[in-house]
Amino acid sequence: STPTTSCLAAAGHDVVGVDVDRHKLDLVGQGRSPIREPGLDELLGRMVAEKRIRVTDDTAAAVGECARSLICVGPPSRRNGSLESGFLERVIEKIGQALATTSAYHVVAVRSTLLPGVLAGTLVPLLEKASGRRVGDTLGVCVNPEFLREGSAIRDFERPPFTVVGSSDAKAADALLAAYAHLDAPVHRVLPDEASMVKYASNNFHAIKVAFANEIGAVCRQLGIDGQRVMTVFCEDRELNISPRYLRPGFGFGGSCLPKDLRAMVYVAKEHDLATPLLGSILPSNDHHIQRVVDTVLEMGKKRVALLGLSFKVGSDDLRESPFVRLAEGLIGKGVPLHVYDPDVTIGNVFGRNKAYVEEHLPHVAQLIADDLQQTLDAVDVVIVGKKVAGIDALPELLRSQHTVIDLVGIPALGDVLRPWASMGAVLPSATGLAPVGS
Ligand SMILES: NC(=O)c1ccc[n+]([C@@H]2O[C@H](COP(=O)([O-])OP(=O)(O)OC[C@H]3O[C@@H](n4cnc5c(N)ncnc54)[C@H](O)[C@@H]3O)[C@@H](O)[C@H]2O)c1
């Protein structure tokens, strides 16, 4: 990556650029950028003139004189979406062979966008075999994705949103981060696969944003509405629209507005013969997510289950289109003995369409709901934390070793024991040996 090479040199590092492409090497060696990128020709020219950048096609020689190797080769994408990892494998083997001839500490960082699992599953074994070293004392590996956009690569390098390093250990992260010491950006030290997923989540999200804006724009155009103005106002909402809200893995959405409004928009689009596959896929995606929780419980073997939360959100007794009612339906439909605890819902006080909805979907709801959390827990093996219901802070003390917790919200009160799972719509099997707090 010529921008990365140039920016690292500008930060005061001596950089050796390695490539198999002779033409590219010749250009860079003359201080001329092989890609069109604002400011790059000037920066690269200066760095080459100051002898901060040298180029070679000899990987071994370059590795031998450096403390860090940053891999930026681009694995080509196959038609089915899988990636050809042969390029990366060849580079890592070459680096390994070079390291076999020295003993100094070296850190290998993959800047290329890397699928989770590839580092540990493919690249580390190749590196260890070729170098005769084990990752640890003298060898570190990192996944260190780039967040550069073509067209503003230099600016993006100098002002990144953050630096994310997924490393084999702290020593590897420290050794790599020394290269970025000049950057004024938060540093996130994570696991290698987490770093990979941050990059994929970012690019997938950017793609979703573009497709979303275009589908809304297409509907607007069809209806004679100014889509630019609509989205400009939309973006002004930094509370719910452009914000971290709704961007944590957890449970599905529901309630009386989101499903209804999605159905309405997809219907309007269809009426105008407009394809809006992104909008059309959201309710099916939500259904799959609810089903995933049912399947997780079924995999545990039809144990007795407590569902903490029934109305669609805290402080509301609205049961219409509540994803928890759907979850309860799914579990009961599969014969799972279910107990429900939700202090927001007093069945005797549920009226009108709310009542009609719950009677249609959970006809025996009154028999399922208990008003005592401890009694509910005593009667079950699996606890699904659906909502931050009142009294949830006491949960850690109330759990016993028989309980398996499926935490769909990431309850802070469950503490560090659950946290590693919490972000994934957590499952904490007591069988992991990590007994729930307080048991
Ligand atoms: N282009 C971007 O703006 C950008 C931004 C962020 C992340 N990325 C990621 O960075 C990676 C690289 O992207 P790119 O656009 O720079 O790709 P690219 O194809 O322009 O550059 C890759 C270079 O690697 C060289 N190469 C291939 N095999 C080699 C080997 N065995 N030894 C040495 N060099 C070898 C190629 O000759 C080529 O010059 C990709 O994974 C991409 O997803 C790119």
Side-chain angles (χ1 to χ4, degrees):
S1 165
T2 318
T4 303
T5 304
S6 306
C7 291
L8 285 172
H13 301 289
D14 290 321
V15 186
V16 185
V18 185
D19 208 296
V20 287
D21 184 336
R22 228 12 286 173
H23 178 62
K24 195 170 181 175
L25 287 178
D26 288 344
L27 281 173
V28 175
Q30 294 159 22
R32 290 162 57 202
S33 170
I35 54 169
R36 243 176 102 96
E37 185 63 52
L40 187 55
D41 257 330
E42 190 272 324
L43 183 63
L44 176 67
R46 201 151 44 82
M47 290 303 114
V48 171
E50 289 177 17
K51 300 201 175 355
R52 291 222 159 272
I53 295 177
R54 286 186 300 107
V55 293
T56 178
D57 60 1
D58 186 344
T59 308
V63 171
E65 58 185 282
C66 296
R68 312 173 193 97
S69 296
L70 275 57
I71 302 180
C72 306
V73 301
S77 178
R78 296 196 192 99
R79 280 171 73 89
N80 66 4
S82 67
L83 297 173
E84 160 71 74
S85 61
F87 281 41
L88 277 169
E89 290 167 21
R90 259 166 271 146
V91 177
I92 207 109
E93 272 186 320
K94 280 253 173 71
I95 294 173
Q97 286 158 9
L99 293 177
T101 63
T102 69
S103 57
Y105 184 80
H106 199 91
V107 61
V108 180
V110 184
R111 299 273 291 169
S112 311
T113 304
L114 194 66
L115 276 170
V118 178
L119 186 80
T122 308
L123 302 185
V124 165
L126 285 173
L127 182 65
E128 289 186 333
K129 187 160 178 248
S131 66
R133 304 188 193 189
R134 292 242 149 257
V135 167
D137 283 348
T138 66
L139 179 63
V141 289
C142 298
V143 173
N144 172 222
E146 286 197 337
F147 292 90
L148 314 183
R149 290 166 298 171
E150 291 180 24
S152 58
I154 293 177
R155 187 190 165 280
D156 291 346
F157 187 97
E158 295 303 337
R159 291 167 50 193
F162 45 67
T163 301
V164 60
V165 177
S167 66
S168 50
D169 51 41
K171 186 176 176 183
D174 290 342
L176 176 64
L177 283 166
Y180 306 125
H182 66 292
L183 296 178
D184 181 22
V187 169
H188 296 288
R189 292 165 180 259
V190 296
L191 297 171
D193 284 350
E194 290 170 346
S196 291
M197 280 305 283
V198 170
K199 176 65 187 178
Y200 274 101
S202 303
N203 274 358
N204 290 176
F205 185 51
H206 302 164
I208 283 180
K209 285 169 75 169
V210 173
F212 175 77
N214 284 338
E215 287 194 3
I216 295 291
V219 174
C220 285
R221 193 167 59 242
Q222 203 57 244
L223 301 179
I225 296 167
D226 182 343
Q228 288 294 350
R229 195 175 303 154
V230 169
M231 289 310 287
T232 301
V233 177
F234 167 94
C235 290
E236 289 280 300
D237 177 351
R238 305 287 156 135
E239 194 58 42
L240 300 185
N241 292 353
I242 312 300
S243 79
R245 289 287 280 271
Y246 308 132
L247 281 173
R248 292 298 170 84
F251 197 45
F253 59 82
S256 49
C257 291
L258 301 192
K260 163 178 81 62
D261 295 350
L262 265 170
R263 276 193 281 267
M265 192 49 36
V266 172
Y267 182 80
V268 167
K270 250 194 229 142
E271 266 191 332
H272 288 84
D273 287 331
L274 258 183
T276 50
L278 178 64
L279 292 171
S281 68
I282 298 172
L283 282 171
S285 166
N286 202 45
D287 291 343
H288 277 293
H289 197 60
I290 295 170
Q291 186 59 39
R292 258 194 291 276
V293 179
V294 174
D295 292 344
T296 304
V297 172
L298 294 180
E299 279 161 22
M300 293 170 179
K302 289 199 182 177
K303 296 201 168 140
R304 298 165 305 162
V305 174
L307 173 59
L308 311 188
L310 190 64
S311 71
F312 88 111
K313 70 175 175 188
V314 176
S316 161
D317 68 353
D318 198 348
L319 299 165
R320 288 168 299 166
E321 301 234 32
S322 164
F324 305 114
V325 172
R326 303 263 314 277
L327 175 59
E329 259 185 296
L331 291 170
I332 292 169
K334 290 289 180 186
V336 175
L338 186 70
H339 300 253
V340 175
Y341 175 77
D342 189 339
D344 292 325
V345 181
T346 311
I347 286 301
N349 294 342
V350 169
F351 299 109
R353 289 174 66 177
N354 200 10
K355 186 166 187 215
Y357 183 86
V358 76
E359 278 177 349
E360 184 189 334
H361 292 266
L362 289 176
H364 307 299
V365 66
Q367 291 153 35
L368 302 177
I369 290 201
D371 55 11
D372 186 278
L373 181 54
Q374 182 69 73
Q375 274 176 16
T376 308
L377 297 176
D378 286 347
V380 302
D381 316 290
V382 177
V383 183
I384 302 176
V385 186
K387 264 190 347 184
K388 290 181 179 167
V389 291
I392 199 79
D393 287 344
L395 190 62
E397 286 82 54
L398 303 179
L399 288 173
R400 298 289 169 260
S401 56
Q402 90 241 21
H403 289 127
T404 298
V405 180
I406 301 178
D407 180 6
L408 301 173
V409 273
I411 298 288
L414 287 173
D416 292 334
V417 175
L418 260 182
R419 193 151 299 139
W421 287 268
S423 60
M424 298 161 57
V427 178
L428 176 66
S430 37
T432 58
L434 290 165
V437 180
S439 68

